[in-house]
Amino acid sequence: MASAHPGLAREPPRLSRRVSQLTGCSRREADEWIENGWISVDGVVISRLGARVSPKATIEIRDAASKHRSASVSILFHKPTPAGDALAPTGRETAVGRIRADNRWVEDDPAQRFVLAHLRGLAPAGALDASAGGMLVFTQEGSVARRLAGGDARVEKEYHVLVEGALAAGGIERLRHGLVLDGIRLRPADVSWLAEDRLRIVLRQSLPRQIPRMCALLGLRVRELRCVRIGSVPLGRLPPGTWRYLRADERF
């Protein structure tokens, strides 16, 4: 693609692109290798995403990257809502224990073979409230866990919320911005009606029981809460109680 300004040099390529070209890995994998400090450029370790490098630079990739590439996985699990979950887990280990060969989604990519090594070090990346269902992410990737976990995580999470009660005039605008929980002014949220009793709420932060408490401030009671998207990855048609691997073309 020609420069928008004739006579100006093109920007050097991103390091992740060069790593992907050199190794055949995905851009997602290249970013993870960079974040883990496994990539050196002209002898200097580069761990900053978005870094650009000269096409003539010498790029070195540590052996740990190839081992990581073959072993590490991330998994999407559709947690049933409590009403439809007779075997609801009570802790982190029990939740991870529900990733088994016999409840893998039948439409998952058959090229990705399930092996017991994929359960080693698998941990939740973020959490759902006990009363919520929908997408849970389990990962062996530290970079994925860092992006999704914690109250300061800014990756979008979309919820569909079944509510009861009457919302006063201006209530939607108050849900979108202006509410305070635990002395914290909440970040702006995208809020709209999906149906007469169902809201779509997109958050960019994660406080304990945030959506039920937001709704309670405005006189609404949450009857059902489901996470249907995290970042650009949708829950889609994944049935409750089943799981699938995060694909190479997906990224949080």
Side-chain angles (χ1 to χ4, degrees), residues 139-176:
T139 187
Q140 294 173 325
E141 305 281 1
S143 57
V144 172
R146 287 191 293 273
R147 282 195 290 271
L148 300 187
D152 196 45
R154 293 177 181 263
V155 175
E156 283 189 353
K157 295 183 180 180
E158 179 178 341
Y159 297 86
H160 290 179
V161 190
L162 182 66
V163 296
E164 64 179 20
L167 191 61
I172 287 288
E173 285 303 317
R174 291 193 61 198
L175 285 170
R176 289 172 178 159

Side-chain angles (χ1 to χ4, degrees), residues 108-158:
D108 197 12
D109 181 3
Q112 174 69 72
R113 188 168 64 92
F114 174 71
V115 294
L116 291 178
H118 292 166
L119 301 180
R120 198 173 302 129
L122 193 68
L128 285 174
D129 293 337
S131 61
M135 187 190 300
L136 268 176
V137 179
F138 298 98
T139 187
Q140 294 173 325
E141 305 281 1
S143 57
V144 172
R146 287 191 293 273
R147 282 195 290 271
L148 300 187
D152 196 45
R154 293 177 181 263
V155 175
E156 283 189 353
K157 295 183 180 180
E158 179 178 341

Side-chain angles (χ1 to χ4, degrees), residues 52-235:
R52 295 181 181 274
V53 296
S54 166
K56 298 181 180 180
T58 299
I59 297 174
E60 298 180 5
I61 301 167
R62 291 179 53 188
D63 290 343
S66 60
K67 296 176 183 177
H68 175 86
R69 181 181 179 185
S70 62
S72 297
V73 298
S74 293
I75 283 173
L76 311 180
F77 175 67
H78 187 163
K79 176 191 171 190
T81 54
D85 193 3
L87 300 175
T90 57
R92 293 167 66 92
E93 290 186 5
T94 310
V96 174
R98 301 218 301 194
I99 307 301
R100 309 180 307 272
D102 63 357
N103 67 330
R104 182 180 178 184
W105 189 28
V106 295
E107 296 185 26
D108 197 12
D109 181 3
Q112 174 69 72
R113 188 168 64 92
F114 174 71
V115 294
L116 291 178
H118 292 166
L119 301 180
R120 198 173 302 129
L122 193 68
L128 285 174
D129 293 337
S131 61
M135 187 190 300
L136 268 176
V137 179
F138 298 98
T139 187
Q140 294 173 325
E141 305 281 1
S143 57
V144 172
R146 287 191 293 273
R147 282 195 290 271
L148 300 187
D152 196 45
R154 293 177 181 263
V155 175
E156 283 189 353
K157 295 183 180 180
E158 179 178 341
Y159 297 86
H160 290 179
V161 190
L162 182 66
V163 296
E164 64 179 20
L167 191 61
I172 287 288
E173 285 303 317
R174 291 193 61 198
L175 285 170
R176 289 172 178 159
H177 53 80
L179 293 180
V180 176
L181 291 177
D182 301 330
I184 300 171
R185 184 166 296 281
L186 301 180
R187 293 177 191 148
D190 295 334
V191 184
S192 58
W193 288 106
L194 289 171
E196 186 178 349
D197 58 353
R198 193 174 296 270
L199 288 165
R200 171 185 176 270
I201 300 180
V202 180
L203 300 180
R204 297 169 185 85
Q205 68 190 123
S206 183
L207 299 179
R209 300 191 68 252
Q210 181 171 340
I211 289 177
R213 294 165 68 202
M214 288 170 62
C215 290
L217 288 175
L218 298 175
L220 296 177
R221 186 171 77 86
V222 171
R223 293 176 52 198
E224 184 179 284
L225 176 62
R226 294 176 65 247
C227 179
V228 299
R229 176 177 62 86
I230 299 178
S232 62
V233 182
L235 182 63

